[in-house]
Amino acid sequence: MDQDMSQQKRPLTLRDVSEVSGVSEMTVSRVLRNRGDVSAATREKVLNATKTLGYVPNKIAGALASQRVNLVAVIIPSLSNMVFPEVMTGISDALDDTPLQPVVGVTNYLPEREEKVLYEMLSWRPSGVIIAGLEQSETSRAMLINSGIPVVQIMDIDGEPIDAMVGISHRRAGRKMAEAILKSGYQNIGFMGTQMPLDHRARKRFEGFTQALGKQGVEIMDQEFYTGGSALAKGREMTAAMMERSPELDFMYYSNDMIGAGGLLHLREQGISVPGQMGLAGFNKVELIDGLPQRLATMDSCRFEIGQMAAKIIASRNDPTLEPMSNVIELSPKIAYGDTLRRK
Amino acid sequence: MDQDMSQQKRPLTLRDVSEVSGVSEMTVSRVLRNRGDVSAATREKVLNATKTLGYVPNKIAGALASQRVNLVAVIIPSLSNMVFPEVMTGISDALDDTPLQPVVGVTNYLPEREEKVLYEMLSWRPSGVIIAGLEQSETSRAMLINSGIPVVQIMDIDGEPIDAMVGISHRRAGRKMAEAILKSGYQNIGFMGTQMPLDHRARKRFEGFTQALGKQGVEIMDQEFYTGGSALAKGREMTAAMMERSPELDFMYYSNDMIGAGGLLHLREQGISVPGQMGLAGFNKVELIDGLPQRLATMDSCRFEIGQMAAKIIASRNDPTLEPMSNVIELSPKIAYGDTLRRK
DNA sequence: ATGAAAGCGCTAACAT
DNA sequence: ATGTTAGCGCTTTCAT
């Protein structure tokens, strides 16, 4: 029963499989990669050997030899944001029928972290890079360009891509929401969101929003920005404070659904009728808040599709048999009116 | 200004840096890794060369040569579960002052996916594996044992580890909650949770819970299990259905905070007083629901610390200068009574 | 303080 | 259908 347990430490190599199965390393390699013609008999032998030995190939060596690494670097600001796990799901989904595998790096919204993570990732020579946002540091841009690796910037398309980009126009999203709100008859509008410098996409939505209001002669009546803490609680607090400050408000636009949900809960507790006395809208369309007493008006940020398309671009660049794809893909988010933005 | 742009494709190698800086590849390598003695002057020259060239080292080659890969494989069932991103945060936190880097693999709760992901990960010969749960398939266990790599199983300690484990006892967690509920005077208890086979830890909590109730002669009065969908909405629906079915209930125990939050919202809308008429408790202590009208009673699952400790174990195994650590670390979750479980 | 040689475990390219 | 030969770009070890 017992094998020779004398030294269990050295990892197995192709050579070991070769010896056990009695064929050359090269043939073993062929079997393992389903390459070239191998007779069913040898194939069998080799597979048996790998199984009984418990051989796991060494991709490090394989990658060095073949100059090919089937990894896609995915660089995102955070995992706790709801949004990014869904992007990941889209990426995994699209990569599932390719040999490519995603590897995640998290930057915590810090440009310096981004540079470090990117450097680490690039040092593995991945087959592609998917990175959130259009605004990277000069250093990061230089690294990406220099690498010669396919790069897809995601989430945002308001700007110039390094290579390819797929996302939505946050400016347009902000504009569309502003127009819908005005059209519904609301006039006294407050805004709540994340502290801007941290979040370019929220900033762009805000810019689009105020711009579209301005075009119709409306100005934001009140605004407030937060950082950190539980978004639900923050939404609650900010909404309370803003109601206090600006009682004439008849609409609250939130830069994300979670703070919007907090606001909604607060208003309902106060007995303020939504969307009658007060309209509300958020952004992202997160499933998480689906069980609230009312469905918050929002706008889909298309994150699953974004991940999917980005991954498909990388895949197409790495497989000449695939259709080449456009380098700029704009997705069009639609307004979900829910129950907190009355329809005109 | 322009360099020779004739061929921008070939990635730079140590050799390129060596030529530009006028020192041997070996010395360049030393500088880049801060190894051995290098004069300040050469150091300077080399660093300049790497900077101007934009050289990024090739870790594939480095890893093959040094037989060392500074990656830690982290294998978790899902990213959209709230819980796991926090584990990741703990891991990153602990790894930040080491040369190690986490790489995430997601299994979607599927044993076959787990095997595949594990195989892929192991083929990169990481310095450690952190994997969620104690129950892996035979194949997965064999791979882990065979690999000779340090393995830390996390989240759960009710069982035998392959190598090391850090987590909480979910059985004990279930028991403690049952005892607290009974002590508070509730007697007619309903349970809602995820479909069991998918989630061993929820199952263990349930077992501990019913066992502790049984000890005091109490049986679960009603129970319901769900899969998929928005947890908040599910909690709402299940709670409504259960109230209908079993109007005598005076306590609802939820296997996670999100469905508990849904239940809470539903009950409040129905005008049922919590925790007077009905007590509630969840599990996990997720910050996400902090802004609800009442704080749900819950139990901290210690996920940040779990990630941290697991990462520290891996780090200590890879660095002989670090203190060796215990292979079994049990964390003790505390009950947070919140506003939905009255204190006796 | 610096350099030269060997080889990590695979695969590409060429035999046979 | 199978085997042989050279590396891939680094780091280890040993010289100098």
PDB file of all heavy atoms in Angstrom, chain A residues 56-57 59-60 64 82 119-120 123 125 230 236 269 287-288 291 293, chain B residues 56-57 59-60 64 82 119-120 123 125 230 236 269 287-288 291 293:
ATOM      1  N   VAL A  56       0.743  18.054 -11.218  1.00  0.00           N
ATOM      2  CA  VAL A  56       0.150  19.334 -11.595  1.00  0.00           C
ATOM      3  C   VAL A  56       1.205  20.097 -12.377  1.00  0.00           C
ATOM      4  O   VAL A  56       2.304  20.318 -11.891  1.00  0.00           O
ATOM      5  CB  VAL A  56      -0.254  20.156 -10.354  1.00  0.00           C
ATOM      6  CG1 VAL A  56      -0.765  21.520 -10.758  1.00  0.00           C
ATOM      7  CG2 VAL A  56      -1.296  19.410  -9.544  1.00  0.00           C
ATOM      8  N   PRO A  57       0.900  20.488 -13.623  1.00  0.00           N
ATOM      9  CA  PRO A  57       1.913  21.141 -14.464  1.00  0.00           C
ATOM     10  C   PRO A  57       2.427  22.430 -13.842  1.00  0.00           C
ATOM     11  O   PRO A  57       1.747  23.043 -13.036  1.00  0.00           O
ATOM     12  CB  PRO A  57       1.167  21.438 -15.769  1.00  0.00           C
ATOM     13  CG  PRO A  57      -0.240  21.066 -15.576  1.00  0.00           C
ATOM     14  CD  PRO A  57      -0.399  20.353 -14.281  1.00  0.00           C
ATOM     15  N   LYS A  59       3.022  26.006 -14.509  1.00  0.00           N
ATOM     16  CA  LYS A  59       2.708  27.045 -15.505  1.00  0.00           C
ATOM     17  C   LYS A  59       3.797  28.080 -15.617  1.00  0.00           C
ATOM     18  O   LYS A  59       3.878  28.781 -16.627  1.00  0.00           O
ATOM     19  CB  LYS A  59       1.410  27.757 -15.097  1.00  0.00           C
ATOM     20  CG  LYS A  59       0.199  26.913 -15.308  1.00  0.00           C
ATOM     21  CD  LYS A  59      -0.953  27.730 -15.836  1.00  0.00           C
ATOM     22  CE  LYS A  59      -2.091  26.783 -16.123  1.00  0.00           C
ATOM     23  NZ  LYS A  59      -3.297  27.462 -16.541  1.00  0.00           N
ATOM     24  N   ILE A  60       4.567  28.225 -14.568  1.00  0.00           N
ATOM     25  CA  ILE A  60       5.656  29.184 -14.615  1.00  0.00           C
ATOM     26  C   ILE A  60       6.592  28.798 -15.753  1.00  0.00           C
ATOM     27  O   ILE A  60       6.895  29.608 -16.632  1.00  0.00           O
ATOM     28  CB  ILE A  60       6.446  29.169 -13.290  1.00  0.00           C
ATOM     29  CG1 ILE A  60       5.516  29.370 -12.108  1.00  0.00           C
ATOM     30  CG2 ILE A  60       7.571  30.167 -13.344  1.00  0.00           C
ATOM     31  CD1 ILE A  60       5.360  30.758 -11.678  1.00  0.00           C
ATOM     32  N   LEU A  64       7.063  30.647 -19.437  1.00  0.00           N
ATOM     33  CA  LEU A  64       8.361  31.169 -19.861  1.00  0.00           C
ATOM     34  C   LEU A  64       8.741  30.596 -21.220  1.00  0.00           C
ATOM     35  O   LEU A  64       9.200  31.307 -22.109  1.00  0.00           O
ATOM     36  CB  LEU A  64       9.432  30.814 -18.813  1.00  0.00           C
ATOM     37  CG  LEU A  64      10.814  31.376 -19.104  1.00  0.00           C
ATOM     38  CD1 LEU A  64      10.770  32.904 -19.155  1.00  0.00           C
ATOM     39  CD2 LEU A  64      11.815  30.914 -18.063  1.00  0.00           C
ATOM     40  N   MET A  82     -20.049  46.530  -4.443  1.00  0.00           N
ATOM     41  CA  MET A  82     -21.229  45.984  -5.138  1.00  0.00           C
ATOM     42  C   MET A  82     -20.980  45.932  -6.636  1.00  0.00           C
ATOM     43  O   MET A  82     -21.235  44.926  -7.287  1.00  0.00           O
ATOM     44  CB  MET A  82     -22.482  46.885  -5.007  1.00  0.00           C
ATOM     45  CG  MET A  82     -23.263  46.938  -3.768  1.00  0.00           C
ATOM     46  SD  MET A  82     -23.671  45.355  -3.152  1.00  0.00           S
ATOM     47  CE  MET A  82     -22.224  45.106  -2.163  1.00  0.00           C
ATOM     48  N   TYR A 119       2.098  47.509 -11.790  1.00  0.00           N
ATOM     49  CA  TYR A 119       3.474  47.065 -11.981  1.00  0.00           C
ATOM     50  C   TYR A 119       3.609  45.582 -11.681  1.00  0.00           C
ATOM     51  O   TYR A 119       4.179  44.811 -12.457  1.00  0.00           O
ATOM     52  CB  TYR A 119       4.368  47.891 -11.062  1.00  0.00           C
ATOM     53  CG  TYR A 119       5.837  47.661 -11.207  1.00  0.00           C
ATOM     54  CD1 TYR A 119       6.574  48.295 -12.207  1.00  0.00           C
ATOM     55  CD2 TYR A 119       6.513  46.819 -10.327  1.00  0.00           C
ATOM     56  CE1 TYR A 119       7.941  48.087 -12.324  1.00  0.00           C
ATOM     57  CE2 TYR A 119       7.878  46.611 -10.439  1.00  0.00           C
ATOM     58  CZ  TYR A 119       8.584  47.243 -11.436  1.00  0.00           C
ATOM     59  OH  TYR A 119       9.928  47.033 -11.555  1.00  0.00           O
ATOM     60  N   GLU A 120       3.039  45.179 -10.555  1.00  0.00           N
ATOM     61  CA  GLU A 120       3.073  43.766 -10.175  1.00  0.00           C
ATOM     62  C   GLU A 120       2.404  42.900 -11.230  1.00  0.00           C
ATOM     63  O   GLU A 120       2.929  41.875 -11.646  1.00  0.00           O
ATOM     64  CB  GLU A 120       2.349  43.565  -8.841  1.00  0.00           C
ATOM     65  CG  GLU A 120       3.048  44.171  -7.633  1.00  0.00           C
ATOM     66  CD  GLU A 120       4.344  43.457  -7.315  1.00  0.00           C
ATOM     67  OE1 GLU A 120       4.408  42.233  -7.506  1.00  0.00           O
ATOM     68  OE2 GLU A 120       5.310  44.143  -6.898  1.00  0.00           O
ATOM     69  N   SER A 123       4.300  42.603 -14.463  1.00  0.00           N
ATOM     70  CA  SER A 123       5.506  41.796 -14.364  1.00  0.00           C
ATOM     71  C   SER A 123       5.204  40.308 -14.580  1.00  0.00           C
ATOM     72  O   SER A 123       6.099  39.511 -14.759  1.00  0.00           O
ATOM     73  CB  SER A 123       6.200  42.031 -13.025  1.00  0.00           C
ATOM     74  OG  SER A 123       5.470  41.443 -11.991  1.00  0.00           O
ATOM     75  N   ARG A 125       3.350  39.537 -17.130  1.00  0.00           N
ATOM     76  CA  ARG A 125       3.119  39.516 -18.587  1.00  0.00           C
ATOM     77  C   ARG A 125       1.770  38.926 -18.967  1.00  0.00           C
ATOM     78  O   ARG A 125       1.702  37.937 -19.704  1.00  0.00           O
ATOM     79  CB  ARG A 125       4.234  38.721 -19.285  1.00  0.00           C
ATOM     80  CG  ARG A 125       5.654  39.202 -18.997  1.00  0.00           C
ATOM     81  CD  ARG A 125       5.961  40.472 -19.773  1.00  0.00           C
ATOM     82  NE  ARG A 125       7.367  40.858 -19.689  1.00  0.00           N
ATOM     83  CZ  ARG A 125       7.877  41.661 -18.750  1.00  0.00           C
ATOM     84  NH1 ARG A 125       7.095  42.148 -17.791  1.00  0.00           N
ATOM     85  NH2 ARG A 125       9.145  41.987 -18.774  1.00  0.00           N
ATOM     86  N   SER A 230     -21.192  53.604   6.666  1.00  0.00           N
ATOM     87  CA  SER A 230     -22.229  52.824   6.010  1.00  0.00           C
ATOM     88  C   SER A 230     -23.056  53.730   5.110  1.00  0.00           C
ATOM     89  O   SER A 230     -23.615  54.733   5.556  1.00  0.00           O
ATOM     90  CB  SER A 230     -23.141  52.180   7.057  1.00  0.00           C
ATOM     91  OG  SER A 230     -24.386  51.864   6.479  1.00  0.00           O
ATOM     92  N   ARG A 236     -29.260  58.403   5.054  1.00  0.00           N
ATOM     93  CA  ARG A 236     -30.245  58.802   6.036  1.00  0.00           C
ATOM     94  C   ARG A 236     -29.874  60.163   6.664  1.00  0.00           C
ATOM     95  O   ARG A 236     -30.651  61.117   6.622  1.00  0.00           O
ATOM     96  CB  ARG A 236     -30.206  57.743   7.123  1.00  0.00           C
ATOM     97  CG  ARG A 236     -31.408  57.509   7.902  1.00  0.00           C
ATOM     98  CD  ARG A 236     -31.089  56.362   8.826  1.00  0.00           C
ATOM     99  NE  ARG A 236     -31.822  55.161   8.502  1.00  0.00           N
ATOM    100  CZ  ARG A 236     -33.124  55.017   8.758  1.00  0.00           C
ATOM    101  NH1 ARG A 236     -33.817  55.982   9.311  1.00  0.00           N
ATOM    102  NH2 ARG A 236     -33.735  53.901   8.433  1.00  0.00           N
ATOM    103  N   GLU A 269     -40.124  57.216   7.107  1.00  0.00           N
ATOM    104  CA  GLU A 269     -40.323  57.308   8.549  1.00  0.00           C
ATOM    105  C   GLU A 269     -40.885  58.667   8.954  1.00  0.00           C
ATOM    106  O   GLU A 269     -41.637  58.783   9.922  1.00  0.00           O
ATOM    107  CB  GLU A 269     -38.991  57.104   9.286  1.00  0.00           C
ATOM    108  CG  GLU A 269     -38.655  55.646   9.464  1.00  0.00           C
ATOM    109  CD  GLU A 269     -37.217  55.475   9.893  1.00  0.00           C
ATOM    110  OE1 GLU A 269     -36.713  56.315  10.670  1.00  0.00           O
ATOM    111  OE2 GLU A 269     -36.587  54.513   9.432  1.00  0.00           O
ATOM    112  N   GLU A 287     -29.213  45.224  -7.218  1.00  0.00           N
ATOM    113  CA  GLU A 287     -30.259  44.269  -6.872  1.00  0.00           C
ATOM    114  C   GLU A 287     -30.471  44.234  -5.358  1.00  0.00           C
ATOM    115  O   GLU A 287     -31.563  43.953  -4.866  1.00  0.00           O
ATOM    116  CB  GLU A 287     -29.846  42.884  -7.360  1.00  0.00           C
ATOM    117  CG  GLU A 287     -30.915  41.823  -7.213  1.00  0.00           C
ATOM    118  CD  GLU A 287     -30.325  40.419  -7.241  1.00  0.00           C
ATOM    119  OE1 GLU A 287     -29.313  40.197  -6.555  1.00  0.00           O
ATOM    120  OE2 GLU A 287     -30.873  39.565  -7.945  1.00  0.00           O
ATOM    121  N   LEU A 288     -29.394  44.526  -4.676  1.00  0.00           N
ATOM    122  CA  LEU A 288     -29.370  44.442  -3.219  1.00  0.00           C
ATOM    123  C   LEU A 288     -30.533  45.124  -2.543  1.00  0.00           C
ATOM    124  O   LEU A 288     -31.023  44.698  -1.492  1.00  0.00           O
ATOM    125  CB  LEU A 288     -28.074  45.094  -2.746  1.00  0.00           C
ATOM    126  CG  LEU A 288     -27.560  44.566  -1.444  1.00  0.00           C
ATOM    127  CD1 LEU A 288     -26.692  43.348  -1.708  1.00  0.00           C
ATOM    128  CD2 LEU A 288     -26.811  45.640  -0.713  1.00  0.00           C
ATOM    129  N   GLY A 291     -35.615  44.687  -2.000  1.00  0.00           N
ATOM    130  CA  GLY A 291     -36.692  44.410  -1.057  1.00  0.00           C
ATOM    131  C   GLY A 291     -37.176  45.606  -0.258  1.00  0.00           C
ATOM    132  O   GLY A 291     -37.953  45.452   0.684  1.00  0.00           O
ATOM    133  N   PRO A 293     -39.315  49.007   0.755  1.00  0.00           N
ATOM    134  CA  PRO A 293     -40.761  49.251   0.627  1.00  0.00           C
ATOM    135  C   PRO A 293     -41.145  49.877  -0.711  1.00  0.00           C
ATOM    136  O   PRO A 293     -42.235  49.634  -1.235  1.00  0.00           O
ATOM    137  CB  PRO A 293     -41.069  50.214   1.773  1.00  0.00           C
ATOM    138  CG  PRO A 293     -39.829  50.377   2.574  1.00  0.00           C
ATOM    139  CD  PRO A 293     -38.753  49.552   1.994  1.00  0.00           C
TER     140      PRO A 293
ATOM    141  N   VAL B  56      10.092  46.669 -16.892  1.00  0.00           N
ATOM    142  CA  VAL B  56       9.325  45.952 -15.879  1.00  0.00           C
ATOM    143  C   VAL B  56       9.846  44.523 -15.838  1.00  0.00           C
ATOM    144  O   VAL B  56       9.847  43.846 -16.857  1.00  0.00           O
ATOM    145  CB  VAL B  56       7.824  45.946 -16.232  1.00  0.00           C
ATOM    146  CG1 VAL B  56       7.052  45.105 -15.222  1.00  0.00           C
ATOM    147  CG2 VAL B  56       7.282  47.355 -16.278  1.00  0.00           C
ATOM    148  N   PRO B  57      10.330  44.072 -14.684  1.00  0.00           N
ATOM    149  CA  PRO B  57      10.933  42.735 -14.608  1.00  0.00           C
ATOM    150  C   PRO B  57       9.961  41.640 -15.016  1.00  0.00           C
ATOM    151  O   PRO B  57       8.750  41.810 -14.931  1.00  0.00           O
ATOM    152  CB  PRO B  57      11.319  42.581 -13.137  1.00  0.00           C
ATOM    153  CG  PRO B  57      10.810  43.774 -12.418  1.00  0.00           C
ATOM    154  CD  PRO B  57      10.289  44.761 -13.402  1.00  0.00           C
ATOM    155  N   LYS B  59       8.496  38.411 -13.942  1.00  0.00           N
ATOM    156  CA  LYS B  59       8.395  37.546 -12.768  1.00  0.00           C
ATOM    157  C   LYS B  59       8.328  36.082 -13.130  1.00  0.00           C
ATOM    158  O   LYS B  59       8.625  35.221 -12.311  1.00  0.00           O
ATOM    159  CB  LYS B  59       7.140  37.893 -11.969  1.00  0.00           C
ATOM    160  CG  LYS B  59       7.259  39.203 -11.257  1.00  0.00           C
ATOM    161  CD  LYS B  59       6.600  39.148  -9.894  1.00  0.00           C
ATOM    162  CE  LYS B  59       6.862  40.475  -9.203  1.00  0.00           C
ATOM    163  NZ  LYS B  59       6.242  40.564  -7.899  1.00  0.00           N
ATOM    164  N   ILE B  60       7.866  35.812 -14.330  1.00  0.00           N
ATOM    165  CA  ILE B  60       7.792  34.424 -14.763  1.00  0.00           C
ATOM    166  C   ILE B  60       9.188  33.829 -14.726  1.00  0.00           C
ATOM    167  O   ILE B  60       9.432  32.790 -14.107  1.00  0.00           O
ATOM    168  CB  ILE B  60       7.250  34.340 -16.204  1.00  0.00           C
ATOM    169  CG1 ILE B  60       5.931  35.076 -16.336  1.00  0.00           C
ATOM    170  CG2 ILE B  60       7.172  32.911 -16.655  1.00  0.00           C
ATOM    171  CD1 ILE B  60       4.735  34.252 -16.095  1.00  0.00           C
ATOM    172  N   LEU B  64      10.767  31.111 -12.030  1.00  0.00           N
ATOM    173  CA  LEU B  64      11.296  29.824 -12.476  1.00  0.00           C
ATOM    174  C   LEU B  64      12.719  29.637 -11.954  1.00  0.00           C
ATOM    175  O   LEU B  64      13.085  28.576 -11.451  1.00  0.00           O
ATOM    176  CB  LEU B  64      11.277  29.744 -13.999  1.00  0.00           C
ATOM    177  CG  LEU B  64      11.748  28.413 -14.587  1.00  0.00           C
ATOM    178  CD1 LEU B  64      10.861  27.278 -14.086  1.00  0.00           C
ATOM    179  CD2 LEU B  64      11.746  28.462 -16.098  1.00  0.00           C
ATOM    180  N   MET B  82     -20.637  39.833   0.279  1.00  0.00           N
ATOM    181  CA  MET B  82     -20.346  40.769   1.374  1.00  0.00           C
ATOM    182  C   MET B  82     -19.206  40.252   2.227  1.00  0.00           C
ATOM    183  O   MET B  82     -18.265  40.960   2.549  1.00  0.00           O
ATOM    184  CB  MET B  82     -21.500  40.948   2.401  1.00  0.00           C
ATOM    185  CG  MET B  82     -22.726  41.661   2.011  1.00  0.00           C
ATOM    186  SD  MET B  82     -22.377  43.259   1.371  1.00  0.00           S
ATOM    187  CE  MET B  82     -22.303  42.788  -0.320  1.00  0.00           C
ATOM    188  N   TYR B 119      -6.677  23.655  -9.159  1.00  0.00           N
ATOM    189  CA  TYR B 119      -5.679  23.103 -10.073  1.00  0.00           C
ATOM    190  C   TYR B 119      -4.926  24.226 -10.785  1.00  0.00           C
ATOM    191  O   TYR B 119      -3.705  24.247 -10.854  1.00  0.00           O
ATOM    192  CB  TYR B 119      -6.395  22.201 -11.076  1.00  0.00           C
ATOM    193  CG  TYR B 119      -5.523  21.452 -12.028  1.00  0.00           C
ATOM    194  CD1 TYR B 119      -4.912  20.262 -11.651  1.00  0.00           C
ATOM    195  CD2 TYR B 119      -5.315  21.926 -13.321  1.00  0.00           C
ATOM    196  CE1 TYR B 119      -4.117  19.555 -12.544  1.00  0.00           C
ATOM    197  CE2 TYR B 119      -4.518  21.226 -14.209  1.00  0.00           C
ATOM    198  CZ  TYR B 119      -3.920  20.040 -13.827  1.00  0.00           C
ATOM    199  OH  TYR B 119      -3.135  19.350 -14.706  1.00  0.00           O
ATOM    200  N   GLU B 120      -5.689  25.165 -11.287  1.00  0.00           N
ATOM    201  CA  GLU B 120      -5.078  26.310 -11.981  1.00  0.00           C
ATOM    202  C   GLU B 120      -4.131  27.059 -11.052  1.00  0.00           C
ATOM    203  O   GLU B 120      -3.018  27.411 -11.404  1.00  0.00           O
ATOM    204  CB  GLU B 120      -6.168  27.282 -12.462  1.00  0.00           C
ATOM    205  CG  GLU B 120      -7.033  26.750 -13.580  1.00  0.00           C
ATOM    206  CD  GLU B 120      -6.261  26.607 -14.883  1.00  0.00           C
ATOM    207  OE1 GLU B 120      -5.375  27.442 -15.139  1.00  0.00           O
ATOM    208  OE2 GLU B 120      -6.541  25.643 -15.631  1.00  0.00           O
ATOM    209  N   SER B 123      -0.980  25.250 -10.179  1.00  0.00           N
ATOM    210  CA  SER B 123      -0.038  25.157 -11.279  1.00  0.00           C
ATOM    211  C   SER B 123       0.871  26.394 -11.345  1.00  0.00           C
ATOM    212  O   SER B 123       1.855  26.398 -12.049  1.00  0.00           O
ATOM    213  CB  SER B 123      -0.774  24.947 -12.600  1.00  0.00           C
ATOM    214  OG  SER B 123      -1.410  26.126 -12.995  1.00  0.00           O
ATOM    215  N   ARG B 125       2.251  27.351  -8.560  1.00  0.00           N
ATOM    216  CA  ARG B 125       3.137  27.101  -7.427  1.00  0.00           C
ATOM    217  C   ARG B 125       3.167  28.256  -6.427  1.00  0.00           C
ATOM    218  O   ARG B 125       4.224  28.815  -6.145  1.00  0.00           O
ATOM    219  CB  ARG B 125       4.564  26.842  -7.922  1.00  0.00           C
ATOM    220  CG  ARG B 125       4.702  25.721  -8.925  1.00  0.00           C
ATOM    221  CD  ARG B 125       4.631  24.377  -8.242  1.00  0.00           C
ATOM    222  NE  ARG B 125       4.958  23.283  -9.142  1.00  0.00           N
ATOM    223  CZ  ARG B 125       4.052  22.618  -9.864  1.00  0.00           C
ATOM    224  NH1 ARG B 125       2.772  22.946  -9.813  1.00  0.00           N
ATOM    225  NH2 ARG B 125       4.427  21.609 -10.635  1.00  0.00           N
ATOM    226  N   SER B 230     -32.818  38.465  -4.691  1.00  0.00           N
ATOM    227  CA  SER B 230     -32.354  39.498  -3.768  1.00  0.00           C
ATOM    228  C   SER B 230     -32.665  39.058  -2.346  1.00  0.00           C
ATOM    229  O   SER B 230     -33.809  38.775  -1.999  1.00  0.00           O
ATOM    230  CB  SER B 230     -33.067  40.813  -4.062  1.00  0.00           C
ATOM    231  OG  SER B 230     -33.037  41.655  -2.923  1.00  0.00           O
ATOM    232  N   ARG B 236     -38.144  39.284   3.147  1.00  0.00           N
ATOM    233  CA  ARG B 236     -39.480  39.857   3.224  1.00  0.00           C
ATOM    234  C   ARG B 236     -40.554  38.806   2.916  1.00  0.00           C
ATOM    235  O   ARG B 236     -41.448  38.549   3.725  1.00  0.00           O
ATOM    236  CB  ARG B 236     -39.532  40.938   2.154  1.00  0.00           C
ATOM    237  CG  ARG B 236     -40.418  42.065   2.372  1.00  0.00           C
ATOM    238  CD  ARG B 236     -40.222  42.992   1.193  1.00  0.00           C
ATOM    239  NE  ARG B 236     -39.620  44.239   1.588  1.00  0.00           N
ATOM    240  CZ  ARG B 236     -40.257  45.193   2.242  1.00  0.00           C
ATOM    241  NH1 ARG B 236     -41.514  45.032   2.619  1.00  0.00           N
ATOM    242  NH2 ARG B 236     -39.652  46.310   2.549  1.00  0.00           N
ATOM    243  N   GLU B 269     -43.545  47.321   8.632  1.00  0.00           N
ATOM    244  CA  GLU B 269     -44.645  47.782   7.789  1.00  0.00           C
ATOM    245  C   GLU B 269     -45.979  47.222   8.263  1.00  0.00           C
ATOM    246  O   GLU B 269     -47.025  47.865   8.140  1.00  0.00           O
ATOM    247  CB  GLU B 269     -44.429  47.341   6.341  1.00  0.00           C
ATOM    248  CG  GLU B 269     -43.523  48.280   5.583  1.00  0.00           C
ATOM    249  CD  GLU B 269     -43.081  47.648   4.288  1.00  0.00           C
ATOM    250  OE1 GLU B 269     -43.899  46.965   3.640  1.00  0.00           O
ATOM    251  OE2 GLU B 269     -41.908  47.828   3.923  1.00  0.00           O
ATOM    252  N   GLU B 287     -21.986  45.648   7.910  1.00  0.00           N
ATOM    253  CA  GLU B 287     -22.099  47.091   8.098  1.00  0.00           C
ATOM    254  C   GLU B 287     -23.169  47.668   7.175  1.00  0.00           C
ATOM    255  O   GLU B 287     -23.815  48.673   7.469  1.00  0.00           O
ATOM    256  CB  GLU B 287     -20.751  47.740   7.788  1.00  0.00           C
ATOM    257  CG  GLU B 287     -20.698  49.220   8.081  1.00  0.00           C
ATOM    258  CD  GLU B 287     -19.575  49.901   7.319  1.00  0.00           C
ATOM    259  OE1 GLU B 287     -19.443  49.654   6.103  1.00  0.00           O
ATOM    260  OE2 GLU B 287     -18.825  50.667   7.941  1.00  0.00           O
ATOM    261  N   LEU B 288     -23.344  46.980   6.066  1.00  0.00           N
ATOM    262  CA  LEU B 288     -24.231  47.448   5.018  1.00  0.00           C
ATOM    263  C   LEU B 288     -25.611  47.834   5.504  1.00  0.00           C
ATOM    264  O   LEU B 288     -26.246  48.753   4.981  1.00  0.00           O
ATOM    265  CB  LEU B 288     -24.383  46.312   4.003  1.00  0.00           C
ATOM    266  CG  LEU B 288     -24.689  46.769   2.611  1.00  0.00           C
ATOM    267  CD1 LEU B 288     -23.383  47.021   1.897  1.00  0.00           C
ATOM    268  CD2 LEU B 288     -25.503  45.749   1.884  1.00  0.00           C
ATOM    269  N   GLY B 291     -27.933  51.386   8.420  1.00  0.00           N
ATOM    270  CA  GLY B 291     -28.858  52.516   8.408  1.00  0.00           C
ATOM    271  C   GLY B 291     -30.331  52.140   8.524  1.00  0.00           C
ATOM    272  O   GLY B 291     -31.204  52.982   8.329  1.00  0.00           O
ATOM    273  N   PRO B 293     -33.999  51.183  10.184  1.00  0.00           N
ATOM    274  CA  PRO B 293     -34.696  51.824  11.301  1.00  0.00           C
ATOM    275  C   PRO B 293     -34.342  51.210  12.656  1.00  0.00           C
ATOM    276  O   PRO B 293     -34.333  51.903  13.661  1.00  0.00           O
ATOM    277  CB  PRO B 293     -36.179  51.594  10.987  1.00  0.00           C
ATOM    278  CG  PRO B 293     -36.254  50.958   9.643  1.00  0.00           C
ATOM    279  CD  PRO B 293     -34.909  50.780   9.110  1.00  0.00           C
TER     280      PRO B 293
END
